[in-house]
PDB file of all heavy atoms in Angstrom:
ATOM      1  N   LYS S  41     -21.873  13.723 -13.281  1.00 98.00           N
ATOM      2  CA  LYS S  41     -21.741  15.126 -13.696  1.00 98.00           C
ATOM      3  C   LYS S  41     -20.640  15.774 -12.925  1.00 98.00           C
ATOM      4  O   LYS S  41     -20.516  15.529 -11.712  1.00 98.00           O
ATOM      5  CB  LYS S  41     -23.121  15.785 -13.454  1.00 98.00           C
ATOM      6  CG  LYS S  41     -23.239  17.147 -14.078  1.00 98.00           C
ATOM      7  CD  LYS S  41     -23.902  16.991 -15.425  1.00 98.00           C
ATOM      8  CE  LYS S  41     -23.420  18.114 -16.293  1.00 98.00           C
ATOM      9  NZ  LYS S  41     -23.318  17.742 -17.741  1.00 98.00           N
ATOM     10  N   ILE S  42     -19.789  16.625 -13.576  1.00 98.00           N
ATOM     11  CA  ILE S  42     -18.758  17.363 -12.869  1.00 98.00           C
ATOM     12  C   ILE S  42     -19.202  18.856 -13.060  1.00 98.00           C
ATOM     13  O   ILE S  42     -19.321  19.321 -14.225  1.00 98.00           O
ATOM     14  CB  ILE S  42     -17.374  17.129 -13.511  1.00 98.00           C
ATOM     15  CG1 ILE S  42     -16.985  15.661 -13.487  1.00 98.00           C
ATOM     16  CG2 ILE S  42     -16.353  18.018 -12.821  1.00 98.00           C
ATOM     17  CD1 ILE S  42     -15.752  15.380 -14.338  1.00 98.00           C
ATOM     18  N   LEU S  43     -19.321  19.569 -11.959  1.00 98.00           N
ATOM     19  CA  LEU S  43     -19.543  20.959 -12.038  1.00 98.00           C
ATOM     20  C   LEU S  43     -18.297  21.636 -11.597  1.00 98.00           C
ATOM     21  O   LEU S  43     -17.887  21.559 -10.435  1.00 98.00           O
ATOM     22  CB  LEU S  43     -20.666  21.453 -11.067  1.00 98.00           C
ATOM     23  CG  LEU S  43     -22.086  20.832 -11.327  1.00 98.00           C
ATOM     24  CD1 LEU S  43     -23.080  21.356 -10.386  1.00 98.00           C
ATOM     25  CD2 LEU S  43     -22.540  21.113 -12.750  1.00 98.00           C
ATOM     26  N   SER S  44     -17.587  22.355 -12.536  1.00 98.00           N
ATOM     27  CA  SER S  44     -16.278  22.940 -12.152  1.00 98.00           C
ATOM     28  C   SER S  44     -16.600  24.421 -11.873  1.00 98.00           C
ATOM     29  O   SER S  44     -16.919  25.139 -12.815  1.00 98.00           O
ATOM     30  CB  SER S  44     -15.379  22.883 -13.302  1.00 98.00           C
ATOM     31  OG  SER S  44     -14.871  21.583 -13.488  1.00 98.00           O
ATOM     32  N   VAL S  45     -16.532  24.771 -10.612  1.00 98.00           N
ATOM     33  CA  VAL S  45     -16.811  26.144 -10.220  1.00 98.00           C
ATOM     34  C   VAL S  45     -15.634  26.974  -9.998  1.00 98.00           C
ATOM     35  O   VAL S  45     -14.747  26.607  -9.236  1.00 98.00           O
ATOM     36  CB  VAL S  45     -17.668  26.081  -8.874  1.00 98.00           C
ATOM     37  CG1 VAL S  45     -18.094  27.464  -8.398  1.00 98.00           C
ATOM     38  CG2 VAL S  45     -18.865  25.235  -8.973  1.00 98.00           C
ATOM     39  N   GLN S  52     -16.993  27.358 -22.030  1.00 98.00           N
ATOM     40  CA  GLN S  52     -16.934  25.939 -21.793  1.00 98.00           C
ATOM     41  C   GLN S  52     -15.862  25.323 -22.766  1.00 98.00           C
ATOM     42  O   GLN S  52     -15.097  24.472 -22.307  1.00 98.00           O
ATOM     43  CB  GLN S  52     -18.292  25.208 -22.064  1.00 98.00           C
ATOM     44  CG  GLN S  52     -18.349  23.815 -21.819  1.00 98.00           C
ATOM     45  CD  GLN S  52     -18.326  23.434 -20.286  1.00 98.00           C
ATOM     46  OE1 GLN S  52     -19.058  23.963 -19.580  1.00 98.00           O
ATOM     47  NE2 GLN S  52     -17.395  22.541 -19.938  1.00 98.00           N
ATOM     48  N   TYR S  55     -12.440  26.107 -21.401  1.00 98.00           N
ATOM     49  CA  TYR S  55     -12.212  25.299 -20.189  1.00 98.00           C
ATOM     50  C   TYR S  55     -11.753  23.916 -20.566  1.00 98.00           C
ATOM     51  O   TYR S  55     -10.869  23.416 -20.091  1.00 98.00           O
ATOM     52  CB  TYR S  55     -13.431  25.321 -19.314  1.00 98.00           C
ATOM     53  CG  TYR S  55     -13.223  24.533 -18.049  1.00 98.00           C
ATOM     54  CD1 TYR S  55     -12.667  25.155 -16.916  1.00 98.00           C
ATOM     55  CD2 TYR S  55     -13.503  23.147 -17.997  1.00 98.00           C
ATOM     56  CE1 TYR S  55     -12.421  24.368 -15.757  1.00 98.00           C
ATOM     57  CE2 TYR S  55     -13.297  22.422 -16.880  1.00 98.00           C
ATOM     58  CZ  TYR S  55     -12.735  23.041 -15.755  1.00 98.00           C
ATOM     59  OH  TYR S  55     -12.479  22.243 -14.556  1.00 98.00           O
ATOM     60  N   GLU S  81     -15.656  14.684 -21.869  1.00 96.00           N
ATOM     61  CA  GLU S  81     -16.035  16.172 -21.835  1.00 96.00           C
ATOM     62  C   GLU S  81     -17.481  16.376 -21.485  1.00 96.00           C
ATOM     63  O   GLU S  81     -17.844  17.357 -20.858  1.00 96.00           O
ATOM     64  CB  GLU S  81     -15.708  16.811 -23.170  1.00 96.00           C
ATOM     65  CG  GLU S  81     -14.802  17.932 -23.196  1.00 96.00           C
ATOM     66  CD  GLU S  81     -14.585  18.338 -24.656  1.00 96.00           C
ATOM     67  OE1 GLU S  81     -15.520  18.300 -25.410  1.00 96.00           O
ATOM     68  OE2 GLU S  81     -13.416  18.735 -24.936  1.00 96.00           O
ATOM     69  N   GLN S  82     -18.320  15.456 -22.030  1.00 97.00           N
ATOM     70  CA  GLN S  82     -19.782  15.668 -21.850  1.00 97.00           C
ATOM     71  C   GLN S  82     -20.175  15.702 -20.393  1.00 97.00           C
ATOM     72  O   GLN S  82     -21.211  16.174 -19.983  1.00 97.00           O
ATOM     73  CB  GLN S  82     -20.588  14.495 -22.500  1.00 97.00           C
ATOM     74  CG  GLN S  82     -20.248  14.273 -23.917  1.00 97.00           C
ATOM     75  CD  GLN S  82     -20.533  15.442 -24.741  1.00 97.00           C
ATOM     76  OE1 GLN S  82     -21.583  16.090 -24.587  1.00 97.00           O
ATOM     77  NE2 GLN S  82     -19.555  15.831 -25.630  1.00 97.00           N
ATOM     78  N   TYR S  83     -19.320  15.217 -19.493  1.00 98.00           N
ATOM     79  CA  TYR S  83     -19.644  15.207 -18.056  1.00 98.00           C
ATOM     80  C   TYR S  83     -19.481  16.599 -17.430  1.00 98.00           C
ATOM     81  O   TYR S  83     -19.994  16.847 -16.382  1.00 98.00           O
ATOM     82  CB  TYR S  83     -18.864  14.299 -17.330  1.00 98.00           C
ATOM     83  CG  TYR S  83     -19.027  12.792 -17.617  1.00 98.00           C
ATOM     84  CD1 TYR S  83     -18.047  11.935 -18.073  1.00 98.00           C
ATOM     85  CD2 TYR S  83     -20.230  12.248 -17.279  1.00 98.00           C
ATOM     86  CE1 TYR S  83     -18.264  10.607 -18.306  1.00 98.00           C
ATOM     87  CE2 TYR S  83     -20.528  10.811 -17.469  1.00 98.00           C
ATOM     88  CZ  TYR S  83     -19.493  10.076 -17.971  1.00 98.00           C
ATOM     89  OH  TYR S  83     -19.754   8.799 -18.177  1.00 98.00           O
ATOM     90  N   ILE S  84     -18.648  17.387 -18.088  1.00 98.00           N
ATOM     91  CA  ILE S  84     -18.109  18.608 -17.373  1.00 98.00           C
ATOM     92  C   ILE S  84     -19.021  19.844 -17.740  1.00 98.00           C
ATOM     93  O   ILE S  84     -19.204  20.147 -18.932  1.00 98.00           O
ATOM     94  CB  ILE S  84     -16.711  18.971 -17.773  1.00 98.00           C
ATOM     95  CG1 ILE S  84     -15.754  17.762 -17.660  1.00 98.00           C
ATOM     96  CG2 ILE S  84     -16.160  20.073 -16.994  1.00 98.00           C
ATOM     97  CD1 ILE S  84     -14.334  18.062 -18.171  1.00 98.00           C
ATOM     98  N   THR S  85     -19.392  20.594 -16.705  1.00 98.00           N
ATOM     99  CA  THR S  85     -20.042  21.850 -16.954  1.00 98.00           C
ATOM    100  C   THR S  85     -19.263  22.866 -16.160  1.00 98.00           C
ATOM    101  O   THR S  85     -19.064  22.735 -14.909  1.00 98.00           O
ATOM    102  CB  THR S  85     -21.487  21.867 -16.395  1.00 98.00           C
ATOM    103  OG1 THR S  85     -22.209  20.816 -17.074  1.00 98.00           O
ATOM    104  CG2 THR S  85     -22.214  23.212 -16.641  1.00 98.00           C
ATOM    105  N   TYR S  86     -18.820  23.873 -16.838  1.00 98.00           N
ATOM    106  CA  TYR S  86     -18.071  24.993 -16.110  1.00 98.00           C
ATOM    107  C   TYR S  86     -19.102  25.992 -15.623  1.00 98.00           C
ATOM    108  O   TYR S  86     -19.963  26.365 -16.334  1.00 98.00           O
ATOM    109  CB  TYR S  86     -17.091  25.632 -17.087  1.00 98.00           C
ATOM    110  CG  TYR S  86     -16.283  26.759 -16.334  1.00 98.00           C
ATOM    111  CD1 TYR S  86     -15.395  26.459 -15.391  1.00 98.00           C
ATOM    112  CD2 TYR S  86     -16.566  28.110 -16.613  1.00 98.00           C
ATOM    113  CE1 TYR S  86     -14.662  27.376 -14.744  1.00 98.00           C
ATOM    114  CE2 TYR S  86     -15.848  29.068 -15.933  1.00 98.00           C
ATOM    115  CZ  TYR S  86     -14.914  28.696 -14.960  1.00 98.00           C
ATOM    116  OH  TYR S  86     -14.239  29.716 -14.234  1.00 98.00           O
ATOM    117  N   VAL S  87     -18.987  26.317 -14.277  1.00 97.00           N
ATOM    118  CA  VAL S  87     -19.894  27.239 -13.646  1.00 97.00           C
ATOM    119  C   VAL S  87     -19.061  28.436 -13.162  1.00 97.00           C
ATOM    120  O   VAL S  87     -18.352  28.281 -12.236  1.00 97.00           O
ATOM    121  CB  VAL S  87     -20.646  26.637 -12.496  1.00 97.00           C
ATOM    122  CG1 VAL S  87     -21.623  27.547 -11.930  1.00 97.00           C
ATOM    123  CG2 VAL S  87     -21.273  25.296 -12.967  1.00 97.00           C
ATOM    124  N   ILE S 103     -29.153  24.116 -10.470  1.00 97.00           N
ATOM    125  CA  ILE S 103     -28.600  23.077 -11.329  1.00 97.00           C
ATOM    126  C   ILE S 103     -28.911  21.741 -10.716  1.00 97.00           C
ATOM    127  O   ILE S 103     -29.290  20.755 -11.414  1.00 97.00           O
ATOM    128  CB  ILE S 103     -27.044  23.367 -11.406  1.00 97.00           C
ATOM    129  CG1 ILE S 103     -26.804  24.700 -12.117  1.00 97.00           C
ATOM    130  CG2 ILE S 103     -26.482  22.245 -12.330  1.00 97.00           C
ATOM    131  CD1 ILE S 103     -25.328  25.088 -12.267  1.00 97.00           C
TER     132      ILE S 103
END
Side-chain angles (χ1 to χ4, degrees):
K41 192 90 211 149
I42 301 168
L43 301 180
S44 287
V45 180
Q52 182 72 51
Y55 180 87
E81 235 177 40
Q82 305 302 316
Y83 290 122
I84 310 175
T85 303
Y86 181 70
V87 182
I103 299 178

